[in-house]
């Protein structure tokens, strides 16, 4: 939806399974990725996937650091997968003029968007997405089939009989994507 290409630098906040999938997707398109995550397991996974920079969300001045990493411009695209207000705000603040911001992480609190400075003067395009378009399924499958990073996206494969273990492992955050085999 954001039209990410090899010419873009993409900020991805929140690197759970969805955010790590976004790293795979952005890298497949040749984009440079700046990731924001605090879980050590996922920091290392993002680095292994080729993220150009991995920043800690607890660091002060993240937007300034991101602008420094982009020559003062800001990222071309930002995607929040965390569903937290500070990350949502970072996506707006760290994105360049005329950039694109998308939100997929659901948040139960409200982000304050300042219409004049955030939208009118920056000219941002903001996208919210709950589901992907079914017409995009063949393209998603192409990424899954062709990306050399897909094995890094899947951290655990368990039989359905071990679903409790899968849930506990997922809750530890020391995972990427967990796959369950339904007939085992």
């Amino acid at each position: 939806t954001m039209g990410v290409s090899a010419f873009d630098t993409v900020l991805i906040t929140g690197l759970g399974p969805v955010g790590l999938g976004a790293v795979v997707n952005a890298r497949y398109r040749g984009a440079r990725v700046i990731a924001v995550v605090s879980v050590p397991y996922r920091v290392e996974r993002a680095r292994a996937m080729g993220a150009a920079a991995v920043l800690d969300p607890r660091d002060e001045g993240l937007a300034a650091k991101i602008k420094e990493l982009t020559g003062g411009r800001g990222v071309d695209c930002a995607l929040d997968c965390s569903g937290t207000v500070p990350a949502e705000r970072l996506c707006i603040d760290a994105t360049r003029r005329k950039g694109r911001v998308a939100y997929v992480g659901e948040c139960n609190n409200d982000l304050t968007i300042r219409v004049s400075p955030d939208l009118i003067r920056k000219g941002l395009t903001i996208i919210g997405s709950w589901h992907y378009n079914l017409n995009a399924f063949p393209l998603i499958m192409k990424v899954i089939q062709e990306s050399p990073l897909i094995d890094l996206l899947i951290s655990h494969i368990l039989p359905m009989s071990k679903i409790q273990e899968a849930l506990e492992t997922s809750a530890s955050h020391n995972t990427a994507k967990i796959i369950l085999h339904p007939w085992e």
Side-chain angles (χ1 to χ4, degrees):
T1 302
M2 287 193 296
V4 172
S5 76
F7 298 104
D8 292 323
T9 297
V10 180
L11 170 65
I12 301 171
T13 58
L15 296 188
V18 172
L20 289 168
V23 173
V24 170
N25 204 342
R27 295 292 301 133
Y28 179 77
R29 286 162 173 64
R32 178 177 176 233
V33 172
I34 298 173
V36 177
V37 63
S38 62
V39 177
Y41 179 92
R42 293 176 176 168
V43 167
E44 292 309 314
R45 192 58 59 126
R47 287 185 177 134
M49 289 178 167
V54 183
L55 305 174
D56 191 320
R58 299 167 293 198
D59 288 350
E60 295 291 321
L62 273 180
K65 286 180 183 178
I66 293 166
K67 286 189 178 177
E68 185 179 309
L69 290 169
T70 57
R73 263 181 86 212
V75 296
D76 302 291
C77 302
L79 175 66
D80 175 57
C81 302
S82 74
T84 65
V85 172
E88 291 174 345
R89 182 77 238 166
L90 177 64
C91 286
I92 289 174
D93 293 342
T95 300
R96 69 168 173 79
R97 189 173 183 283
K98 300 272 189 190
R100 301 168 308 275
V101 177
Y103 297 106
V104 299
E106 190 165 8
C107 184
N108 292 322
N109 296 312
D110 290 331
L111 168 66
T112 300
I113 294 178
R114 303 163 305 175
V115 173
S116 288
D118 293 340
L119 300 179
I120 295 171
R121 291 185 209 141
K122 277 186 95 171
L124 293 180
T125 298
I126 296 182
I127 303 160
S129 183
W130 179 246
H131 295 285
Y132 65 87
N133 185 319
L134 193 55
N135 292 329
F137 184 76
L139 297 173
I140 294 167
M141 289 308 299
K142 183 175 178 158
V143 173
I144 290 169
Q145 291 167 343
E146 295 180 7
S147 173
L149 301 177
I150 205 68
D151 289 340
L152 291 172
L153 180 58
I154 300 166
S155 61
H156 297 77
I157 300 174
L158 298 168
M160 184 65 81
S161 62
K162 294 194 176 186
I163 193 165
Q164 184 61 39
E165 180 183 333
L167 292 169
E168 290 168 5
T169 302
S170 179
S172 77
H173 300 289
N174 290 321
T175 67
K177 185 76 173 164
I178 299 173
I179 303 291
L180 294 172
H181 282 288
W183 293 278
E184 291 182 27

